[in-house]
Every structure is written in structure tokens, then in C-alpha cells.
Amino acid sequence: MAEVVSPVPGAGRREPGEVGRARGPPVADPGAALSPQGEIIEGCRLPVLRRNQDNEDEWPLAEILSVKDISGRKLFYVHYIDFNKRLDEWVTHERLDLKKIQFPKKEAKTPTKNGLPGSRPGSPEREVKRKVEVVSPATPVPSETAPASVFPQNGSARRAVAAQPGRKRKSNCLGTDEDSQDSSDGIPSAPRMTGSLVSDRSHDDIVTRMKNIECIELGRHRLKPWYFSPYPQELTMLPVLYLCEFCLKYGRSLKCLQRHLTKCDLRHPPGNEIYRKGTISFFEIDGRKNKSYSQNLCLLAKCFLDHKTLYYDTDPFLFYVMTEYDCKGFHIVGYFSKEKESTEDYNVACILTLPPYQRRGYGKLLIEFSYELSKVEGKTGTPEKPLSDLGLLSYRSYWSQTILEILMGLKSESGERPQITINEISEITSIKKEDVISTLQYLNLINYYKGQYILTLSEDIVDGHERAMLKRLLRIDSKCLHFTPKDWSKRGKW
């Protein structure tokens, strides 16, 4: 699950190069809106008016997911096609372009996807888009063990690192490319027996596709959820859901919360405080020992994470909650979870920075802390896929800055070019080798020159990295970490 940046209008819109949006100022014509049954129905598609991040009107194509009537006025829940689901919303009749409405096609049976039931019969035909990034044979891929060295190129490069040609890397190790976000509509060949939190999207239905919580009050913040979360049904009708910011228990009203606070003696997350520097602390929480807190944390996190599912069995997981301290206590900023035993080298299952704390460097701090734990454990790690779109951006940024920091810190010995291997970068940073290679390719650093793979750091790359590091004020201090890894293979430790 992901750092997620602040929800701004237009965030999550489609990438450049995709099909253009429906634009223009159409005028609603109520007569054109009627279906053969005389009303707009679920499954219809039509342009809907919305404001983008530049505060301009646009008319993207949207699908009607639900219709409700409040005091004689109809509201329509719409999903903007090719936009992130966090932008879904209830709209009024006036914002619909009824002249371009597409009614759902009638089908005799519920459509299936790979043999499994679809989410709704009668929706307009959807083309499942699968984007597969193939590593071209011409794309240089350095060996993992061959040494690398500095190499000048046309006088424009400040530093370059070269690696001898070695065995080719498999084309599927770009596990964090942007297109991996679309991998969620693939059906796994067999269920995983571990505690994976990846959502099987094949079983999505109309209920889980819609936000069900209007607003959450958490301490001094009010949060607008982005996605569905399985809170009890009776709470979904409330205008505001009140949460205790220390134990995360939920209440129906402010009075219920105030009554709870007189009894709740927690002023920090349960579990062990394993890191503190300044006002920032990290608490390690065992999903088995603190089941109620862990489940409440998952419920809250699901409001802002779409690609993960909720497991009420939190026993296989550890939760690392980051807090900010003041005179009232330790306030939750974000968290990540990880499996106690991961057979696939995952060091993060879900990761989230709460919206009020986004775009302030806390996401990278969470990621850095997860890799700091991996260093203490003597392992390399990678986040569980798929990442959210915003999580992918955060991880790419962290990987890029961390790897560039290593490359720029290399020093020559005896006048020779400094050398380093992919394996050495992975061991120093605890970043999995596949993520190191995909990051080098993403930065376009790899070149082939005179039989060698050269990693060229241009002036633009170096200057951009130095500017970014000046802004990155929050860093993990390994001296402040007090953490002893456990051998979870021994069931008695659970």
C-alpha cells in the first residue's frame, strides 16, 4: 500500500498519450436522458462536468455506478473512465451531458472474466487493457556481479559507472513499472498461502467500487476517504465517523467519542517504541498480540488504499506506525505492514501516509525505515505489488535518490575509475537487485560503450539529485533505532 500524495483536484487523471477526454460545454437535455424504461440507469456512460487541477471545466466520460433519491432530488454516483477511483463522486443531474449518453447493452447472463463472475451485468462493453513492458534486446542490462568503473563521455558527463557484459536479466523483473498498476485485473493461478494483502479484483462488486464513508474525524483532522472500507453498515449512513486517534476505535457521534476518551488511557499506539528522534517515533505492533488495534488500523487504511484487501486475520503481520509527538500524545502520521515470514522478500505489504501529512517527506521516511529494518535483518527487500500510482512515485523517487547517492559517493583509487557491482549496491542499500536494475533503466543511465555497460551520470542528473536532496530534510538516523529481529519461522514466537 503507498505513499500517497495529497488529494488535489485532478490528481489521478490519465497519463499523457491516452485517449482524450470528452470536452466542451454541452447543455443538459432532460428529454435525451430517458432510457427505454424512462430513467437514467446504472451502467450508463456519458460525459460529466468536473473541475480539473487547473480549476478548469472539463467533461470526461464517466459511468453511472449508482442512483439515489434524496428528498425528491436524484443523485448519481459516477466513476470517471481512466481516472483513479479516488475521484469518484456523487453528482447532480445538472452536471450530466445527456445528449451523449450510452445505455448499457443487454446481456442474457452476467459477463464473466476468466471464468469468474463480473461486477455487473449490462455494463457497456469494457476492453481489458493489459500493458506489458518488454525489455528490448537493445536495452543494456548490466551484470549483477561485474565491477563498474568511471568513464568520461563527450566531456558532458560528470561521472559514469561501467559494468562488464554478463547474463541477461529476465524481462519481467521490472516489477514496479507504472503499468504494473494494471496488473490487478489478472487472476492468480493459485491462491497464495501467505498473508498477502493484494486484492483479488476479480470479485469486485458494485458495493466495494463505491466510497461508503462520507467523512472521518481523527484527532484534529477531518479526512475525506478515497475508497470503500468495510466498516459496519450502520456507520456508513453517518455524515461523520469519529475515531479515537490513539486506539483507532470508531464511534457513531462526537458524544460517543468523548465518552470513550474518558476511559481510553492510550496516548500512543500499543506495542514497542523502536525508534525516536525529535518528535518522530516508530512503534512495532504485533498483529496477533494487538489484534483489535491492527484491525482498526486496516479499516482506516483501506479508506485510502485501493489495491489491497482487508484481512481480519492480522496474526501473520507486523505493523510499524509512525507518530508525531506533542503535549497531548503520539499522533499517527502513517504506517506500513509486513509479513512476519515472506517467501518473496517483501519488506512491505501495505504502506500509507495519511492525507494531512502527505507531501511533507513522511512517505520517503516510511520507505527509508522499512529498508533500515531490512539492513538490520541482513536481507534485501521489495514492496508487495501492485503499488498504487502514488506509492509507485514515492518508491521510484526513493530508489533513485538512494542509488544516485551511492554512485556519487564513489571515490577513485590510485587514479583508476571507482568500481561497484549491482550486487554491491543491493547489499549496501538492501534494495532488491531487480529494483536496482529497473531504477537504473528508468533513469536512463545505462549505455553500451566499447563492450562495456556504462552508467552515465550527466550534469542534469547530478544537479537534479543535489536539488532534491536539499529538500529532503527528514532522514532516518540508524543510531536511534533499537530493533532486534526475531526468527518467525519458530511458531512459538507468534
Side-chain angles (χ1 to χ4, degrees), residues 3 280 322 324 333 353 357 360-366 474:
E3 178 192 14
I280 300 297
M322 179 169 62
E324 200 171 54
V333 171
T353 305
Y357 298 96
R360 291 164 57 180
Y362 288 117
K364 277 200 186 74
L365 199 67
L366 281 166
L474 295 175

Side-chain angles (χ1 to χ4, degrees), residues 235 295 335:
L235 301 180
Q295 290 175 351
Y335 89 104

Side-chain angles (χ1 to χ4, degrees), residues 3 15 133 174-181 364 367 371 383 387-404 431 435-436 438-443 465 472:
E3 178 192 14
E15 293 294 325
E133 183 172 339
L174 286 177
T176 54
D177 60 85
E178 286 173 312
D179 296 334
S180 70
Q181 303 313 301
K364 277 200 186 74
I367 295 172
Y371 281 106
L387 293 165
S388 68
D389 54 348
L390 302 176
L392 177 64
L393 291 174
S394 294
Y395 265 95
R396 271 194 172 155
S397 178
Y398 173 80
W399 289 332
S400 299
Q401 291 179 8
T402 303
I403 292 170
L404 287 173
I431 299 173
D435 295 331
V436 173
S438 68
T439 301
L440 294 173
Q441 291 179 324
Y442 171 73
L443 293 171
H465 171 72
R472 189 173 162 187

